[in-house]
Amino acid sequence: MAEPDTNLPGGEGKKGARVWRPVVVVLAAVTIAFCAWSAWQYAQGNDPLAFLSGDALQTVSEPASVDGQAAATPQITMTANTVTADDVAAACAGLSFDGSDVSVAADDVKAVLTANGVWVEQATADDAPAMVDATARRAAALAKWAAEQNVGLSDVTWISEDANGAVRLVVRFGCDGVPTSGDASALLSAAEGYAISGDAYAQLGDAPAFAQQGGEAPTLPDDSAITVVQKKTVDGEALTKTKTTYRVVDQNGKNVSSKSDSADGSADGSASGASSQQGATVTVSITVDGSSAGAGSSSATLTLPAGATVYDALASCGVSFNAKATGYGMYVSSIAGLAEKEHGGMSGWMYSVNGSTANIACSSYVLSGGESIYWWYANVEY
């Protein structure tokens, strides 16, 4: 019998069918297995197709996540500090504490305001027990008022003086969680710090309910010490102004010199003495722009104490920032969570005033009023 001729039409097609049949069988088996596995994954509450949305198919990395939530790009939002020294003085005229009137006339106080603190000076002729009680309650009431302004004020320092400007009591309260009731003893124990002069403390009796000083010693706006004479002096307190000069003594009551009163009756070492332009203000505008890195921008108009710097303006606009002291002044490394070098080795924050880039530290640039301050995130690498 002759052998079949494999070159006849149709012979090659039958041979190809025999070759592909095993491949089709294998693919069918894989498909059935995948369907069975997917059904099992669904039963376990998992997504069998989750791998299709993984990093393997991404060409742009997503922001890092925290607790499963995608991290949002920092956004810049300002809350301008619009409280002025005049506002503080007006608030003093309406103070109340635990339902009692503890107000003091606005003309009888001197107020100094910085980016995050308030200092008030008052000359009082009250006897020592009444002075301590009233000062503690007034300081606490003013700290509560400062907290309610929502402008970032962190503490209030009240300085009660005699007629010649000698400090009788200085007390400092933080604005967060300030007491709203209590006597002088309870209030002083809750204060961040206080100090009573030796002359005033001697008039409180043999066993006062509180120490002569406590906590961290309050300071002036420039962080210098507030002079409170701890020893009882020979002359005692001057509750009425009877002379134009008075003795300057050290902490031990020892004579240092004779000193003339200033025109307004306040002595050196006071909050108003630390600010020769107390009461004067400057108004500036500020913009913080992080749009080059996707953080947006925000602007505000600020009223600041005379002598304020670009750094003070940034600290007063309500946006969070990090800064560090250097040999040249304060260096701002991060604003609103957007830090230097996050978008390239040279990326970071710069500032200009009236369109001109400054060549000095922001803490050294003193504002005269009317300036337009612009902070921007520069040198972003894409």
Side-chain angles (χ1 to χ4, degrees):
M1 181 181 294
E3 295 183 2
D5 186 351
T6 56
N7 292 324
L8 292 174
E12 185 176 350
K14 293 178 180 179
K15 181 179 180 180
R18 289 195 298 270
V19 173
W20 282 101
R21 189 175 295 117
V23 176
V24 173
V25 172
V26 171
L27 290 176
V30 170
T31 301
I32 294 172
F34 176 75
C35 292
W37 175 80
S38 297
W40 180 78
Q41 287 290 310
Y42 277 120
Q44 298 297 314
N46 300 320
D47 181 6
L49 301 179
F51 69 92
L52 293 177
S53 60
D55 293 340
L57 299 181
Q58 289 185 341
T59 58
V60 180
S61 61
E62 295 180 352
S65 62
V66 179
D67 295 333
Q69 301 296 321
T73 301
Q75 294 298 311
I76 298 169
T77 303
M78 294 183 182
T79 304
N81 182 347
T82 57
V83 172
T84 67
D86 289 340
D87 294 329
V88 175
C92 291
L95 290 178
S96 64
F97 182 81
D98 197 17
S100 299
D101 179 19
V102 292
S103 61
V104 56
D107 291 340
D108 291 342
V109 298
K110 302 181 183 74
V112 174
L113 188 71
T114 67
N116 54 12
V118 176
W119 282 257
V120 172
E121 286 180 84
Q122 178 206 8
T124 172
D126 292 341
D127 60 32
M131 180 273 298
V132 171
D133 181 70
T135 300
R137 293 195 295 161
R138 284 168 178 158
L142 187 61
K144 180 177 181 292
W145 171 86
E148 292 170 347
Q149 306 313 299
N150 294 318
V151 292
L153 296 172
S154 61
D155 48 68
V156 167
T157 301
W158 195 292
I159 305 171
S160 288
E161 304 168 339
D162 68 10
N164 285 334
V167 177
R168 306 178 70 192
L169 166 63
V170 54
V171 59
R172 178 175 183 170
F173 282 102
C175 296
D176 185 16
V178 63
T180 56
S181 63
D183 59 12
S185 178
L187 292 174
L188 292 179
S189 66
E192 291 183 349
Y194 73 93
I196 307 172
S197 71
D199 287 328
Y201 196 70
Q203 299 177 49
L204 299 178
D206 295 334
F210 42 85
Q212 187 176 352
Q213 58 186 2
E216 183 177 353
T219 58
L220 293 171
D222 61 0
D223 289 330
S224 60
I226 297 176
T227 301
V228 182
V229 179
Q230 297 296 303
K231 298 291 185 179
K232 183 178 179 181
T233 65
V234 175
D235 292 341
E237 295 185 300
L239 300 186
T240 57
K241 194 174 182 67
T242 58
K243 54 186 178 181
T244 57
T245 61
Y246 57 95
R247 295 186 307 120
V248 178
V249 296
D250 61 17
Q251 293 288 349
N252 296 315
K254 181 180 179 180
N255 282 320
V256 176
S257 66
S258 180
K259 186 177 181 70
S260 297
D261 289 329
S262 60
D264 61 4
S266 63
D268 288 347
S270 64
S272 59
S275 175
S276 60
Q277 303 181 67
Q278 187 271 330
T281 59
V282 295
T283 299
V284 300
S285 64
I286 181 171
T287 296
V288 178
D289 186 358
S291 58
S292 63
S297 66
S298 186
S299 301
T301 299
L302 308 173
T303 299
L304 304 168
T309 66
V310 171
Y311 178 81
D312 295 325
L314 180 63
S316 299
C317 72
V319 64
S320 62
F321 71 97
N322 291 324
K324 58 185 176 183
T326 71
Y328 301 98
M330 297 302 294
Y331 172 73
V332 176
S333 60
S334 173
I335 301 179
L338 182 58
E340 62 175 338
K341 301 181 181 179
E342 281 190 2
H343 295 270
M346 298 298 293
S347 63
W349 289 95
M350 300 180 67
Y351 80 93
S352 65
V353 178
N354 295 334
S356 298
T357 303
N359 58 3
I360 60 174
C362 59
S363 56
S364 299
Y365 197 117
V366 179
L367 301 167
S368 58
E371 290 94 342
S372 177
I373 305 166
Y374 181 66
W375 285 90
W376 79 99
Y377 194 78
N379 301 322
V380 173
E381 296 179 7
Y382 296 97

